[in-house]
Each structure stands twice: as C-alpha cells, then as structure tokens.
Amino acid sequence: MTNHQDRAPGMDVDLLQGSTSPWRGLLLAQESWVALSILVLGLIVSFIAPTFASAGNLLNVFQNACFIGIMALGMTPVIISGGIDISVGSILGMCAVTLGIVLNADMPLAVGIIATLAMGIACGVFNGAIISYLQLPPFIVTLATLSIGRSLALVLTNNEVFYEFGQATASIIALGGGYTFGFPNVVYALIIGVIILHILLTMTRWGRYLYAIGGNESAARLAGIPVDFIKISAYAFSGLMVAITAIFLVGWLGAVTNSIGTGYELQVIASTVIGGASLNGGFGSALGAAIGAILVEVIRNALLIAGVNPFWQGTFVGCFILAAVLLERIRSLRR
Amino acid sequence: MTVLARLEHIVKDFGAVRALDDVTLDINHGEVLGLMGDNGAGKSTLVKTIAGNFQPTSGSYSLDGQPVHFSGPAEARRHGIEVVYQDLAICDNLTAAANVFLGREMMKRVGPFKVLDHKGMNRRANEIFKELKSETRPAALVNRMSGGQRQAVAIARTRLSESKIVLMDEPTAAISVRQVAEVLALIRRMKDQGLSVILISHRMPDVFEVCDRVVVMRRGRKVADKPIAQSSPEEVTGLITGAIQSA
Ligand SMILES: Nc1ncnc2c1ncn2[C@@H]1O[C@H](COP(=O)(O)OP(=O)(O)O)[C@@H](O)[C@H]1O
Ligand SMILES: [Mg+2]
C-alpha cells in the first residue's frame, strides 16, 4: 500500500544508491498523499462551514484522532506481520473497566496504570499465543476475543458506570483531560508513540523480523527467525497501546462505561490501512498509522459539522478504505 | 580430490514410502555435482537429509571424516552446509541486503542501544554481489528483481559464513533462458572459490554445462554416479526413465 516498489520502510538509507532523489520517495509515499487529502478536505470543509477551522474544533479533532491513532500504532506491527487484531475495541473495554475497578477501590493512580497496562498486554499475549501455537487465523481468534472481552467487561462491571476514582480522581482527569503547553496530553502520547514505533520498525531486529514474517513467513522461519515469539509480541504491543489509550480516554471522559470502545476496531484498522499498511502483510509505517487516524477523524468531524446525518459516517470511511486499497493496486500494476 | 561429505547406506522412510533406499554418495571438495531424476525420485529428500531438515531412518553421514547427526538446518549451517531453497525463501518486501542478512543482521552501537547497521549490511552485500559478478543493488527491493538477481540474493546468503557445501534445489526451474546463464555463472564462481555445489535440475543442458559429476536417482535409489565427461544426455535420459537400468 505504501511506496512498496520504490522505498522499503527504513531502508532508504543507502548511499550506494545515490541516484534516486528523496523527493521521489516522498511523492510516492502514501503518508504524503494522506496528508494532502487532509489539507484539501480541511480547506473545502472550512469554506462550507467556517466553524471547522476554529481552534477549538481543530484541537477537538486532533484529540479524538489521538485515541484512535495510538491504537492504530499498536495495530501497525500486527498488520505488518500479516495478522489482524479486531479485538482492540473490546480490549479497550477490558482495560478501562480494569482501571475503573482499581481506582474505584481507592488505589493510587500508579497501581491503576500498572494494572491497566498488564491487562492490555495479557489480552494481546492471549491473542498472539493462540494464533501462533494453535495456528488459527488471526481474524477468527481476535473475533472470539472481541466477543469474550466485551462480555467480560459486562460481567465485571455488572452494568455499573464508574465515575468515582477515589484518591486518583483529580490525577486521572488531569492526565487524560489536561493540557501541557497548550495541547492535550494525549497528543504528546501519540507523538512519542510515533517516534518510538518508527525507531522500533526501522532500526531494530524486531521491526525487521515483523516485515520479514509479513513478506514471507516460511522464509523467515528458514532464516531462523523466532516467528512465534515475534508474532506474540506484536499482539502484546497492540494490547499495550490499547491500554495506554484506555488510560487517557478514561481520564478524558471522566467515567467508565462497559460499552467504552465498542466499534473502535473499524476506525483503527481503517486508519492503519489508509496510512499505508497492507492487509496482506509486509508493509506499514508508524507515521502512516497516525496520519491515517487524523484523516478518518477529519472525515467524521467534517460530516458532523457540515450537518450530514452521522449515519453516513461509516459510508465515507468505508469509501476511503476502498480508495486506499485501490491506490495500492494501481501502484503495483504500474510496476 | 578429497572427500568432504560421505553418505553411506542412507535410508529415509516417510511412513510406508521409502524415499531414499540405501543411498551411498561422496561429495568431494570443490566439485559441482548434478543430481537428476524424475519427480518423486528422492532428490529433494536427499538434499534435505544432507542439510539437516530430515534425519535419516538409517545409514551414516560424515563430514571431513567425522560422523554427524544434525538436529536441524541451523546445526548443519554451523557445519558449513547452506541451502538455496527451491522456492528461494526470499521476502519480496525487503531489500536485497535485508534478505542476505535475514536472521543474521549486522548491528551497531548507538549509545546504550544496538541498532541495525543498514550501511554496513549494504556495503557487505554489495561486496558479495561483486564477488558473484552479479548486478544486484543491495538497497533495491527484491520484488523488482529478475529471477537471476533473486537467485544471486539467495546465493549471497550462503556467502556470509564459511560455507563448504551449497545445495541448490532446482534453481533454474522458473526463470528465463538469459537468467539461467546467470545462475550457471554464479555456480561456476562458487566452484572457483573452492565450494562444493550440489545442483538438482531437470535441465539436461545446465547439468552438462556446469557439473563435474552426475548422479541419477530413480525411485529412491542411486542408479548412476559418474564423471560428466563419461556420460551423455542420452544415457542420463535413459537412466532417469528406467530405459537403462544403471550405469
Ligand atoms: N515430508 C514428506 N512427507 C511424506 N512423504 C514425502 C515427504 N517428502 C517427500 N516425500 C515422498 O518421498 C518421495 C521422494 O520425494 P522428493 O524427494 O520430493 O522427490 P524429488 O525431489 O526427486 O521430486 C516422494 O514419494 C514423496 O511423496
Ligand atoms: Mg524436488
């Protein structure tokens, strides 16, 4: 879906290949196209509805995009390795409920955060272990987890809403809903996440092996790569990013309902794919996932502001997914 | 010529199927051995036994006079046995250099961290491609390469360590005529560097062009083993089909 033909992720560092200009790479990178779409879409909508471009609304768009964006960062290694995780919405529910229960019991925020992160990672390891060791299709396994996770969230909360966070009430709301240097805290989380994931994908063995597994799993095995371990770690990473999202989201909303995160998987996967990850595996980038999330949110917000019935949102997001996939097809044909 | 690897009375059963039936074979230093036979004759099984993918049901296997029992391909690789797989086992979405170093990446230190040494790997891969006289660019993606270049990438993998034997299972099966010539040139270059090569091929001209010796398998048995100069395509064809019992 990206730049497949002309620029491998993180491998455009070659000096021996001095002839290709960096502008060519930029022009072919899906991230550039998505960024351009965001600009064009933003301009058009500001003409139709000037409120779109107000500082308050833009900040709101950006903040919403961050929640999806952090989860999309988690989805990226999974998709690069040739898998898929459709359970992220339910894992978000499990993590939020965990945080709610722990804080509701008047525990310190640190304990709540650790418990939430542990829950996210545990859900990811559960997915990854079943996919790797039982050799079941990722779609089916995470579909089961989607169902189990949401059901457990209902069981654990007994349909109760948590909004009492004991001694941690002020701090969790400050963390998730607060601002630093004029931007919501979650924005920094996304930016740091993009940088860390970019480094992991382009500069470490872990990243290299994810691409290799997504490109040709049996070749990766023959090369002695610990394929199962890498796959499990990808799902665990996804779970971790979901947990981080849960912490910010709960702080921002100020409450935990057991339906929190329902349906998020579609937006998360859409963001990742629009940002250049290939559902066939082998391609994807950290920046792409984040920019994809912003585009998805801009579409949603633009439709809302333009007064379009929100029932249409899914149609528009779906069309953008199709467009992104078609773009990849066209590029690979031109090869 | 001195013996590098020796297989004696190797039998390999898959349930009721006897894929290798009492095969005895010497592989000499610096020779290119052509392995021919019909589909199902046991060529791949023989090569996989040498490479440690399969453990023989019975029989002995020694390298430089020392008996060996490989638990897997990784152990065989440590003994200098490298395989260029039939399906090439290459990741299309990675660069040539990334494929060459897959699983054996060069790392460099940045502060307390160890990160991939892209430049180092590109440089080393470029050297290997030059040695192989292949025009393969290390930083180019494999999915844009010709069959010959992909073959060079697969062969370059074997040049990272001190390999002694390179096993090639039908490297010329799915590539164009011009690329076949490239692969044959690569094989000659490996021989020049003192490597032993076992080439499985269905293409008679290839075998007669690069091999020093030809071994013919039929239904799990070795039915011929002779210097290429003392054989002919007609004889080998007869041996493969069974028209000639053995030679
Ligand atoms: N992993 C395996 N399991 C069961 N039977 C096998 C396996 N590999 C090969 N065989 C059988 O062994 C015989 C020899 O196969 P093979 O070595 O692949 O032949 P060739 O490479 O000469 O075409 C065939 O009958 C094949 O079906
Ligand atoms: Mg075969």
Side-chain angles (χ1 to χ4, degrees), chain A residues 95-108:
Chain A
C95 289
V97 164
T98 305
L99 186 61
I101 289 174
V102 172
L103 295 188
N104 195 246
D106 204 25
M107 299 282 216

Side-chain angles (χ1 to χ4, degrees), chain A residues 138-208:
Chain A
F139 184 86
I140 305 296
V141 172
T142 56
L143 180 65
T145 308
L146 178 151
S147 173
I148 295 169
R150 186 57 61 194
S151 145
L152 287 182
L154 288 170
V155 171
L156 287 173
T157 57
N158 203 14
N159 216 9
E160 202 183 325
V161 177
F162 295 97
Y163 46 85
E164 266 303 322
F165 298 132
Q167 52 165 299
T169 306
S171 46
I172 182 78
I173 288 175
L175 179 66
Y179 286 66
T180 305
F181 303 124
F183 287 102
N185 292 336
V186 69
V187 170
Y188 297 99
L190 178 69
I191 293 171
I192 294 169
V194 168
I195 294 170
I196 291 178
L197 182 61
H198 181 77
I199 291 174
L200 287 175
L201 289 179
T202 58
M203 290 165 72
T204 69
R205 282 206 168 101
W206 185 69
R208 174 61 53 87

Side-chain angles (χ1 to χ4, degrees), chain A residues 18 43 89-90 116 153 165 184 205 211 269 289 319:
Chain A
L43 281 175
S90 292
T116 309
F165 298 132
R205 282 206 168 101
Y211 287 107
I269 293 168
C319 289

Side-chain angles (χ1 to χ4, degrees), chain A residues 4 202-203 209 211 216 282, chain B residues 77 90 93 105 116 118 141:
Chain A
H4 297 185
T202 58
M203 290 165 72
Y209 293 169
Y211 287 107
N216 186 343
Chain B
R77 199 178 295 149
I90 274 180
N93 58 332
E105 286 77 12
L116 294 174
H118 295 288
L141 290 188

Side-chain angles (χ1 to χ4, degrees), chain B residues 78-148:
Chain B
R78 278 197 292 279
H79 281 78
I81 296 171
E82 295 274 351
V83 187
V84 176
Y85 290 94
Q86 193 163 5
D87 47 13
L88 285 184
I90 274 180
C91 297
D92 273 341
N93 58 332
L94 299 181
T95 64
N99 269 291
V100 170
F101 282 91
L102 192 59
R104 296 182 266 191
E105 286 77 12
M106 280 164 65
M107 307 298 281
K108 67 176 179 197
R109 273 200 173 281
V110 175
F113 302 107
K114 275 167 94 186
V115 299
L116 294 174
D117 183 1
H118 295 288
K119 275 186 206 165
M121 287 190 275
N122 280 342
R123 201 176 304 127
R124 180 78 191 99
N126 200 42
E127 283 168 18
I128 297 173
F129 292 136
K130 283 226 176 79
E131 266 169 41
L132 295 171
K133 298 204 167 53
S134 168
E135 287 173 17
T136 306
R137 298 211 324 282
L141 290 188
V142 169
N143 67 358
R144 293 202 300 172
M145 292 185 177
S146 70

Side-chain angles (χ1 to χ4, degrees), chain B residues 43-44 86 169-170:
Chain B
K43 307 179 296 293
S44 294
Q86 193 163 5
D169 195 342
E170 306 206 37

